[in-house]
């Protein structure tokens, strides 16, 4: 799987193995990315908007996860706490209690 963030293939493989489902909404992800089904395809989600954004600059595997294109698009550049209050999250019951363990770890680490 190729990525523009420079994450090594072996790290992406580890991430993919633990990310069969969207870390936010729980839908089964499509690997590799399918341009005909962007909503359900796996996309790399940066949890930390303060960076770093690229592996060569110090991006850590704990700061990214795979999510569906729909959730990634909906979140955009919103902080998680802000996004959880959006209509999208409320309609899909996405919040700090319902997200994956990876997201919960990230939230707890950054309190």
């Amino acid at each position: 799987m190729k990525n523009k963030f420079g994450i090594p293939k072996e790290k992406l493989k580890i991430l993919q193995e633990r990310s069969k489902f969207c870390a936010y909404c729980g839908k089964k992800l499509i690997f590799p990315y399918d341009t005909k089904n962007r909503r359900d395809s796996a996309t790399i989600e940066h949890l930390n908007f303060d960076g770093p954004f690229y592996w060569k600059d110090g991006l850590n595997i704990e700061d990214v996860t795979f999510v569906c294109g729909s959730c990634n698009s909906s979140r955009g550049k919103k902080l998680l706490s802000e996004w959880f209050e959006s209509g999208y999250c409320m309609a899909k019951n996405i919040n700090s209690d319902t997200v994956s363990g990876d997201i919960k770890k990230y939230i707890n680490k950054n309190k």
Side-chain angles (χ1 to χ4, degrees):
M1 174 177 249
K2 189 176 170 185
N3 69 90
K4 63 183 176 182
F5 308 110
I7 302 169
K9 287 181 184 179
E10 65 275 4
K11 296 293 183 181
L12 276 178
K13 185 175 180 175
I14 292 167
L15 189 60
Q16 184 177 351
E17 286 172 3
R18 71 176 198 222
S19 302
K20 302 286 185 205
F21 300 90
C22 176
Y24 293 133
C25 73
K27 91 170 66 158
K28 186 159 177 53
L29 295 171
I30 296 172
F31 288 97
Y33 189 87
D34 180 0
T35 57
K36 294 178 184 169
N37 191 348
R38 293 180 175 145
R39 291 182 293 200
D40 298 336
S41 289
T43 61
I44 295 172
E45 170 73 311
H46 282 82
L47 300 171
N48 183 0
F49 288 146
D50 295 332
F53 300 105
Y54 300 95
W55 197 259
K56 66 180 175 67
D57 297 329
L59 178 67
N60 291 310
I61 199 79
E62 296 83 21
D63 294 330
V64 294
T65 191
F66 280 115
V67 300
C68 71
S70 294
C71 285
N72 202 339
S73 178
S74 171
R75 181 174 174 213
K77 297 201 182 256
K78 298 176 192 84
L79 296 174
L80 281 172
S81 57
E82 194 181 316
W83 183 59
F84 288 155
E85 295 177 8
S86 72
Y88 178 91
C89 286
M90 289 185 187
K92 294 185 171 276
N93 193 35
I94 299 170
N95 58 60
S96 60
D97 295 325
T98 63
V99 294
S100 75
D102 289 344
I103 305 291
K104 288 178 183 176
K105 276 187 221 172
Y106 178 82
I107 291 169
N108 289 330
K109 180 180 99 175
N110 292 289
K111 279 187 177 180

